[in-house]
Amino acid sequence: MLDRLDVYFESGQPSAALNMALDEALLENAARPALRFYNWARPSLSFGYFGKLADAQAVGGDREIVRRWTGGGIVLHGEDLTYSLVAPAAHPYARHSAREIYQHTHSAIRDVLVAAGWSVSMVTTPASRVSEACFANPVVADLMAGDAKIAGAAQRRTRLGLLQQGSILFRDLPEHFAAQFASRLSSAVDARSITDTHLRRAQTLAAEKYGTRAWLEERQTSSI
């Protein structure tokens, strides 16, 4: 499905707000599909755009909390491998349905793990929602290892294109997993680095949007 893919292997540990901002900045500046892997400065929690800050605070403890631009539930970060996938609106990949892109990325993750000898399956039947925690609620095309959900993602589609933010919670990821995952998505992978343009835009977004109390409380405020 992807002819070429730019891949960003983050070596730093940005704050939660800056991580969300970098994903948006990447989408704004993407000329073709791009995949970004990233770490966290400290244990963090992200919750979906339509979620409630109070629910996040109830389980977040002393974690750094941030609202995602994408949907979905509560995700704890720090022990997971986190990634984002962006596709500019003009690229043919962005014309695929949200479900097709979700399945494409999760099939790539599953194939790498199965090749490494792990038993991993893709969810085919929706289950009842049991909590606000993303990894407690497998949906169609999520990945399972036994009874445990190990990979989930959330998406947002705008005039700029598609953003998918995903989390992989699996303690025994193979060595070089990220590179293998990228190569499963596309046979033509180009390693990239975050540019000064990306970083400056992200710093602005973090300061004016993702790092603000107004953003954390936005959905609650707008519903009153």
Side-chain angles (χ1 to χ4, degrees):
M1 293 173 71
L2 279 169
D3 52 351
R4 298 197 74 87
L5 180 65
D6 290 339
V7 182
Y8 296 79
F9 297 97
E10 286 284 330
S11 57
Q13 294 182 316
S15 68
L18 188 57
N19 264 329
M20 299 299 97
L22 281 165
D23 284 348
E24 186 171 345
L26 197 62
L27 177 61
E28 287 180 351
N29 291 279
R32 62 188 184 192
L35 180 66
R36 173 180 170 247
F37 295 97
Y38 50 95
N39 301 305
W40 303 80
R42 49 172 293 199
S44 301
L45 178 154
S46 70
F47 66 104
Y49 180 68
F50 296 99
K52 295 180 179 179
L53 175 59
D55 292 333
Q57 290 173 324
V59 299
D62 61 355
R63 290 174 179 266
E64 189 173 358
I65 296 176
V66 67
R67 180 190 296 277
R68 297 190 303 273
W69 199 27
T70 55
I74 292 171
V75 182
L76 302 180
H77 302 288
E79 296 184 354
D80 63 330
L81 175 64
T82 320
Y83 72 89
S84 60
L85 176 71
V86 304
H91 193 278
Y93 188 69
R95 299 171 197 158
H96 289 281
S97 70
R99 175 65 58 81
E100 288 173 326
I101 292 174
Y102 201 99
Q103 288 180 325
H104 180 224
T105 53
H106 280 198
S107 293
I109 295 168
R110 179 198 58 197
D111 291 348
V112 173
L113 294 177
V114 169
W118 295 101
S119 178
V120 176
S121 61
M122 183 175 288
V123 176
T124 58
T125 304
S128 299
R129 187 178 184 85
V130 298
S131 80
E132 295 301 318
C134 177
F135 276 78
N137 302 290
V139 300
V140 173
D142 278 346
L143 296 182
M144 307 289 292
D147 295 329
K149 176 176 170 177
I150 63 166
Q155 298 176 336
R156 184 181 185 97
R157 194 183 293 270
T158 75
R159 61 179 179 79
L160 297 172
L162 178 89
L163 167 64
Q164 176 171 304
Q165 294 172 314
S167 175
I168 304 167
L169 187 58
F170 193 73
R171 293 185 181 276
D172 297 299
L173 288 176
E175 187 178 7
H176 308 304
F177 170 83
Q180 293 172 12
F181 171 27
S183 66
R184 292 277 181 171
L185 292 177
S186 175
S187 59
V189 170
D190 297 306
R192 303 292 187 192
S193 297
I194 294 296
T195 66
D196 289 341
T197 299
H198 290 132
L199 186 57
R200 284 194 299 269
R201 175 57 176 155
Q203 288 170 335
T204 297
L205 286 167
E208 298 179 357
K209 180 178 177 180
Y210 292 104
T212 67
R213 189 74 181 184
W215 173 256
L216 284 173
E217 297 178 340
E218 178 171 317
R219 297 305 300 174
Q220 292 163 287
T221 301
S222 64
S223 64
I224 295 174

